[in-house]
Amino acid sequence: MTDDPQLLAKRVAYVKTVRGLYRNERIAGLVGSLVGALLLIWGRMGQGAPAWAVPVAFLVIGAAWSLFAYVIIRRTRYVRAHPFDPQS
């Protein structure tokens, strides 16, 4: 680790850029997972819940986790294509 403040500032900016990638998709995946879990609980525990609630809940949860996997793959590709370069 170096004590160079400019290098540290560049590294912090790079990490913030990577963390900010696909933020909306990650939030959508989180919301989808929560909605799917609530729908699954309602479909299994709720009195008079429709029969379609459980299969739809599994589809929503699967779609949300697929979105998470998509974000992981895209961010990994970005980091491999744009590695941290202290000279930039």
Side-chain angles (χ1 to χ4, degrees), residues 66-87:
S66 297
L67 193 57
F68 281 139
Y70 167 76
V71 168
I72 290 170
I73 291 168
R74 294 296 298 187
R75 284 176 65 178
T76 303
R77 286 184 181 172
Y78 177 85
V79 169
R80 287 183 181 166
H82 303 92
F84 177 68
D85 182 15
Q87 301 300 323

Side-chain angles (χ1 to χ4, degrees), residues 4-40:
D4 185 19
Q6 289 179 341
L7 179 62
L8 184 61
K10 288 180 181 181
R11 184 175 294 274
V12 168
Y14 176 74
V15 170
K16 282 185 180 181
T17 300
V18 171
R19 284 183 183 167
L21 291 174
Y22 304 103
R23 183 177 306 259
N24 293 337
E25 289 85 350
R26 285 185 287 141
I27 291 172
L30 177 64
V31 169
S33 293
L34 292 174
V35 167
L38 290 173
L39 191 60
L40 183 63

